[in-house]
Amino acid sequence: WVVLKSAMTLDGKIATRSGDSRWVTGEEARHRVHEMRREYMAILVGRGTVEADDPMLNCRLEGSPRQPVRIVADSSASISLESQLVRTARELRTVVAHTPRAEQQKIEALTRAGVECWCCEEEGGHLQIGELIQRIGEAGLDSVLVEGGGTLAEALLHKGLIDEVAFFVAPKLIGGAEAKSPIEGEGFMRMADAVELEGVKSQLFGQDILISGRVKR
């Protein structure tokens, strides 16, 4: 079960044009995200999210019984060895999914740091996202929370691999043509091709609204 999660401003931005994203939403919404991390077996992000935010991607609730497996889609395995994910890989299970063009020396360095490295085929210059989702399932991880970035989200949507969407919307406006949005890439050409949701729900967390629903098949 693959859930696309994001937090954005009312005008659809996940960060300012300088890349600043702390914080889009308030404390209550961020608490709910940690509850979600406890509920799902894996968290999936792209390399760009790791480079921009250097996240831990762990559940920081008190007494959390289980931590999600942290998975990074990184075609060239270029994630920094000094990133929080790599430095904590021996304590929290961490996977880097790469393509055959990744340097063997870097793969070996990541492996020594405790990171699991999965090789997936390449498609259109990127990691074959369908193969990665299949590998995640084969590893016994039956639920995935996708937390960024926009290129990864668009690839999953185009392949029909998203089952549910959960977007936190903050009552803020920042503007900026270069400010990033939750889903990037080329997108769909026609409104008729847009991905639709059903069973839509809205919940209020402080001043922020969580809008969620299943992808209509």
Side-chain angles (χ1 to χ4, degrees):
W1 191 256
V2 181
V3 179
L4 176 61
K5 190 278 295 180
S6 190
M8 65 181 187
T9 59
L10 194 59
D11 55 340
K13 308 297 184 180
I14 61 173
T16 67
R17 61 186 176 88
S18 68
D20 181 33
S21 61
R22 296 196 177 184
W23 296 100
V24 174
T25 54
E27 186 175 343
E28 293 93 337
R30 298 199 301 275
H31 181 84
R32 175 58 186 140
V33 170
H34 284 283
E35 290 179 336
M36 294 170 75
R37 288 179 177 179
R38 181 175 60 186
E39 294 163 6
Y40 291 88
M41 296 191 71
I43 293 178
L44 174 61
V45 298
R47 182 198 65 201
T49 295
V50 178
E51 291 179 347
D53 301 335
D54 191 22
M56 272 287 287
L57 301 179
N58 63 331
C59 174
R60 292 191 281 276
L61 298 178
E62 291 185 8
S64 177
R66 177 184 56 80
Q67 292 289 344
V69 178
R70 307 174 301 177
I71 303 172
V72 183
D74 182 1
S75 297
S76 57
S78 60
I79 180 175
S80 171
L81 296 176
E82 297 303 316
S83 66
Q84 291 198 88
L85 292 178
V86 176
R87 287 192 287 108
T88 58
R90 295 195 182 281
E91 295 127 42
L92 300 172
R93 186 180 176 189
T94 306
V95 175
V96 168
H98 60 86
T99 65
R101 63 181 162 91
E103 293 183 4
Q104 187 61 33
Q105 185 177 358
K106 184 59 178 292
I107 294 170
E108 291 172 357
L110 289 169
T111 302
R112 285 195 299 271
V115 176
E116 295 179 38
C117 293
W118 295 355
C119 185
C120 298
E121 292 301 317
E122 190 170 342
E123 181 181 48
H126 297 284
L127 182 145
Q128 218 292 340
I129 195 65
E131 182 182 350
L132 174 56
I133 295 299
Q134 183 177 344
R135 287 284 297 273
I136 291 171
E138 290 171 350
L141 306 172
D142 62 10
S143 57
V144 182
L145 189 64
V146 181
E147 292 208 17
T151 301
L152 175 64
E154 198 248 0
L156 288 163
L157 278 178
H158 265 287
K159 293 290 185 181
L161 296 170
I162 298 295
D163 298 296
E164 187 178 345
V165 172
F167 274 29
F168 291 89
V169 182
K172 299 176 181 179
L173 302 168
I174 58 175
E178 297 179 4
K180 288 188 172 294
S181 61
I183 303 170
E184 297 184 333
E186 294 183 358
F188 297 108
M189 291 292 291
R190 303 185 308 149
M191 188 61 70
D193 296 328
V195 174
E196 296 185 51
L197 304 181
E198 59 185 5
V200 175
K201 297 185 299 183
S202 62
Q203 298 170 272
L204 192 63
F205 293 90
Q207 293 292 313
D208 307 311
I209 301 172
L210 170 60
I211 300 174
S212 61
R214 297 180 304 277
V215 172
K216 189 174 182 180
R217 301 297 184 189

Coordinates of all heavy atoms in Angstrom, one line a residue, residues 71-115:
I71 N 14.1 4.2 2.9 CA 14.5 3.9 1.6 C 14.7 5.1 0.7 O 13.9 6.0 0.7 CB 13.5 2.9 0.9 CG1 13.3 1.7 1.8 CG2 14.0 2.5 -0.5 CD1 12.1 0.8 1.3
V72 N 15.9 5.2 0.1 CA 16.2 6.3 -0.8 C 16.4 5.9 -2.2 O 17.1 5.0 -2.5 CB 17.5 7.0 -0.3 CG1 17.8 8.2 -1.2 CG2 17.5 7.4 1.1
A73 N 15.6 6.5 -3.1 CA 15.7 6.2 -4.6 C 16.8 7.1 -5.1 O 16.7 8.3 -5.2 CB 14.4 6.4 -5.3
D74 N 18.0 6.5 -5.4 CA 19.2 7.3 -5.7 C 19.9 6.6 -6.9 O 20.8 5.8 -6.6 CB 20.1 7.5 -4.5 CG 21.3 8.3 -4.7 OD1 21.5 8.8 -5.8 OD2 22.1 8.4 -3.8
S75 N 19.6 7.0 -8.1 CA 20.1 6.2 -9.3 C 21.6 6.0 -9.2 O 22.1 5.0 -9.6 CB 19.7 7.0 -10.6 OG 18.3 7.0 -10.7
S76 N 22.4 7.1 -8.8 CA 23.8 7.0 -8.9 C 24.5 6.7 -7.5 O 25.7 6.7 -7.4 CB 24.4 8.3 -9.5 OG 24.0 9.4 -8.7
A77 N 23.6 6.4 -6.5 CA 24.1 6.1 -5.2 C 25.0 7.3 -4.7 O 26.1 7.1 -4.1 CB 24.9 4.8 -5.1
S78 N 24.6 8.5 -4.9 CA 25.4 9.7 -4.6 C 25.1 10.3 -3.3 O 25.7 11.3 -2.9 CB 25.3 10.7 -5.7 OG 23.9 11.1 -5.8
I79 N 24.3 9.6 -2.5 CA 23.9 10.1 -1.2 C 25.2 10.3 -0.3 O 26.1 9.5 -0.4 CB 22.9 9.2 -0.5 CG1 22.6 9.7 0.9 CG2 23.5 7.8 -0.4 CD1 21.5 8.8 1.6
S80 N 25.3 11.4 0.4 CA 26.5 11.7 1.2 C 26.7 10.7 2.3 O 25.8 10.3 3.0 CB 26.4 13.1 1.8 OG 27.5 13.3 2.7
L81 N 27.9 10.3 2.5 CA 28.3 9.4 3.6 C 28.1 10.1 5.0 O 28.1 9.4 6.0 CB 29.7 8.8 3.5 CG 30.0 8.0 2.2 CD1 31.4 7.6 2.1 CD2 29.1 6.7 2.3
E82 N 28.1 11.4 4.9 CA 27.9 12.2 6.1 C 26.5 12.5 6.4 O 26.2 13.2 7.4 CB 28.7 13.5 6.0 CG 30.2 13.3 5.9 CD 30.8 12.5 7.1 OE1 30.4 12.8 8.2 OE2 31.6 11.5 6.8
S83 N 25.5 12.1 5.6 CA 24.1 12.4 5.8 C 23.7 11.6 7.1 O 24.2 10.6 7.5 CB 23.3 11.9 4.6 OG 23.3 10.5 4.5
Q84 N 22.6 12.2 7.7 CA 22.1 11.5 8.9 C 21.6 10.1 8.6 O 21.7 9.2 9.5 CB 20.9 12.3 9.4 CG 21.3 13.7 10.0 CD 20.2 14.2 10.9 OE1 20.1 14.0 12.1 NE2 19.3 15.0 10.3
L85 N 21.1 9.9 7.4 CA 20.6 8.5 7.1 C 21.7 7.5 7.1 O 21.6 6.4 7.7 CB 19.9 8.5 5.7 CG 18.6 9.3 5.6 CD1 18.1 9.2 4.2 CD2 17.5 8.7 6.6
V86 N 22.8 7.9 6.5 CA 24.0 6.9 6.4 C 24.6 6.8 7.8 O 25.0 5.7 8.2 CB 25.0 7.4 5.4 CG1 26.2 6.5 5.4 CG2 24.4 7.4 4.0
R87 N 24.8 7.9 8.5 CA 25.5 7.8 9.8 C 24.7 7.0 10.9 O 25.2 6.6 11.9 CB 25.7 9.3 10.3 CG 26.9 9.9 9.6 CD 27.3 11.2 10.3 NE 26.4 12.3 10.1 CZ 25.6 12.8 11.1 NH1 25.7 12.3 12.3 NH2 24.8 13.8 10.9
T88 N 23.4 6.9 10.7 CA 22.5 6.1 11.6 C 22.1 4.8 11.0 O 21.2 4.1 11.6 CB 21.3 6.9 12.0 OG1 20.5 7.3 10.8 CG2 21.7 8.2 12.7
A89 N 22.7 4.4 9.9 CA 22.2 3.2 9.2 C 22.4 1.9 10.0 O 21.7 0.9 9.8 CB 22.9 3.0 7.9
R90 N 23.3 1.9 10.9 CA 23.5 0.7 11.8 C 22.5 0.5 12.9 O 22.3 -0.5 13.4 CB 24.9 0.7 12.4 CG 26.0 0.6 11.3 CD 27.4 0.2 12.0 NE 28.4 0.2 10.9 CZ 28.6 -0.8 10.1 NH1 27.8 -1.9 10.1 NH2 29.6 -0.8 9.2
E91 N 21.8 1.7 13.2 CA 20.8 1.6 14.2 C 19.4 1.5 13.6 O 18.5 0.9 14.2 CB 20.9 2.9 15.1 CG 22.1 3.0 15.9 CD 22.9 4.3 15.6 OE1 22.2 5.4 15.6 OE2 24.1 4.3 15.5
L92 N 19.2 2.1 12.5 CA 17.9 2.1 11.8 C 18.1 1.6 10.4 O 18.9 2.1 9.6 CB 17.3 3.5 11.7 CG 17.1 4.2 13.1 CD1 16.7 5.7 12.9 CD2 16.0 3.5 13.9
R93 N 17.3 0.6 10.0 CA 17.5 -0.1 8.7 C 17.3 0.9 7.6 O 16.3 1.6 7.5 CB 16.5 -1.2 8.5 CG 16.7 -2.0 7.3 CD 15.7 -3.1 7.1 NE 15.9 -3.9 5.9 CZ 15.0 -4.8 5.4 NH1 14.0 -5.1 6.1 NH2 15.2 -5.3 4.2
T94 N 18.3 1.0 6.7 CA 18.4 2.0 5.6 C 18.7 1.3 4.3 O 19.7 0.5 4.3 CB 19.4 3.1 6.0 OG1 19.1 3.7 7.3 CG2 19.4 4.2 4.9
V95 N 18.0 1.7 3.3 CA 18.2 1.1 1.9 C 18.5 2.2 0.9 O 17.8 3.3 1.0 CB 17.0 0.3 1.5 CG1 17.2 -0.2 0.0 CG2 16.7 -0.9 2.4
V96 N 19.5 2.1 0.1 CA 19.7 3.0 -1.1 C 19.5 2.1 -2.3 O 20.1 1.1 -2.5 CB 21.1 3.6 -1.1 CG1 21.4 4.2 -2.4 CG2 21.2 4.6 0.1
A97 N 18.5 2.5 -3.1 CA 18.2 1.8 -4.4 C 18.8 2.6 -5.5 O 18.6 3.8 -5.6 CB 16.7 1.8 -4.6
H98 N 19.7 1.9 -6.3 CA 20.5 2.6 -7.3 C 20.4 1.8 -8.6 O 19.8 0.7 -8.7 CB 21.9 2.7 -6.8 CG 22.5 1.3 -6.6 ND1 23.1 0.5 -7.6 CD2 22.6 0.6 -5.4 CE1 23.6 -0.6 -7.0 NE2 23.3 -0.6 -5.8
T99 N 21.0 2.3 -9.7 CA 21.0 1.6 -11.0 C 22.4 1.1 -11.2 O 23.3 1.4 -10.4 CB 20.6 2.6 -12.1 OG1 21.7 3.6 -12.2 CG2 19.3 3.3 -11.8
P100 N 22.6 0.3 -12.3 CA 23.9 -0.3 -12.5 C 25.0 0.8 -12.8 O 26.2 0.4 -12.7 CB 23.7 -1.1 -13.8 CG 22.2 -1.5 -13.7 CD 21.6 -0.3 -13.1
R101 N 24.6 2.0 -13.0 CA 25.7 3.0 -13.3 C 26.3 3.6 -12.0 O 27.3 4.4 -12.1 CB 25.1 4.2 -14.2 CG 24.0 5.0 -13.6 CD 23.6 6.0 -14.6 NE 22.3 6.6 -14.3 CZ 22.1 7.7 -13.6 NH1 23.2 8.3 -13.0 NH2 20.9 8.2 -13.4
A102 N 25.8 3.2 -10.9 CA 26.4 3.7 -9.6 C 27.8 3.1 -9.5 O 28.1 1.9 -9.9 CB 25.5 3.2 -8.4
E103 N 28.7 3.9 -9.0 CA 30.1 3.5 -8.8 C 30.2 2.4 -7.7 O 29.7 2.5 -6.6 CB 31.0 4.7 -8.4 CG 31.1 5.7 -9.5 CD 32.1 6.8 -9.1 OE1 32.7 6.7 -8.0 OE2 32.2 7.8 -9.9
Q104 N 30.9 1.3 -8.0 CA 31.1 0.2 -7.1 C 31.8 0.7 -5.8 O 31.4 0.2 -4.7 CB 31.9 -0.9 -7.8 CG 32.0 -2.2 -7.0 CD 30.6 -2.8 -6.7 OE1 29.7 -2.7 -7.5 NE2 30.5 -3.4 -5.5
Q105 N 32.7 1.6 -5.9 CA 33.4 2.1 -4.8 C 32.5 2.7 -3.8 O 32.6 2.6 -2.6 CB 34.5 3.1 -5.2 CG 35.4 3.6 -4.0 CD 36.5 4.5 -4.5 OE1 36.6 4.7 -5.7 NE2 37.3 5.0 -3.6
K106 N 31.5 3.5 -4.3 CA 30.5 4.2 -3.4 C 29.6 3.2 -2.8 O 29.2 3.3 -1.6 CB 29.7 5.2 -4.2 CG 28.8 6.0 -3.4 CD 29.5 6.8 -2.3 CE 28.5 7.6 -1.5 NZ 27.9 8.7 -2.2
I107 N 29.2 2.2 -3.6 CA 28.3 1.1 -3.1 C 29.0 0.4 -1.9 O 28.4 0.1 -0.9 CB 27.9 0.1 -4.2 CG1 27.0 0.8 -5.2 CG2 27.2 -1.1 -3.6 CD1 26.8 0.0 -6.5
E108 N 30.2 0.1 -2.1 CA 31.0 -0.6 -1.0 C 31.1 0.3 0.2 O 31.0 -0.2 1.4 CB 32.4 -1.0 -1.5 CG 32.3 -2.1 -2.6 CD 33.7 -2.3 -3.2 OE1 34.7 -1.6 -2.9 OE2 33.8 -3.2 -4.1
A109 N 31.3 1.6 0.0 CA 31.4 2.5 1.2 C 30.1 2.6 1.9 O 30.0 2.6 3.2 CB 31.8 3.9 0.7
L110 N 29.0 2.6 1.2 CA 27.6 2.6 1.8 C 27.4 1.3 2.6 O 26.9 1.3 3.7 CB 26.6 2.8 0.8 CG 26.5 4.2 0.2 CD1 25.5 4.2 -1.1 CD2 26.0 5.3 1.2
T111 N 27.8 0.2 2.0 CA 27.6 -1.1 2.6 C 28.4 -1.2 3.9 O 27.9 -1.7 4.9 CB 28.0 -2.2 1.7 OG1 27.2 -2.1 0.5 CG2 27.8 -3.6 2.3
R112 N 29.6 -0.7 3.9 CA 30.4 -0.7 5.1 C 29.8 0.2 6.2 O 30.0 -0.1 7.4 CB 31.8 -0.1 4.8 CG 32.7 -1.1 4.1 CD 34.2 -0.7 4.1 NE 34.4 0.6 3.5 CZ 34.7 0.8 2.2 NH1 34.8 -0.3 1.4 NH2 34.9 2.0 1.7
A113 N 29.1 1.2 5.8 CA 28.4 2.1 6.8 C 27.1 1.4 7.3 O 26.5 2.0 8.2 CB 28.1 3.4 6.2
G114 N 26.7 0.3 6.8 CA 25.5 -0.4 7.3 C 24.3 -0.2 6.4 O 23.2 -0.7 6.7
V115 N 24.5 0.4 5.2 CA 23.3 0.7 4.3 C 23.2 -0.6 3.4 O 24.1 -1.1 2.9 CB 23.6 1.9 3.4 CG1 22.5 2.1 2.4 CG2 23.7 3.1 4.3

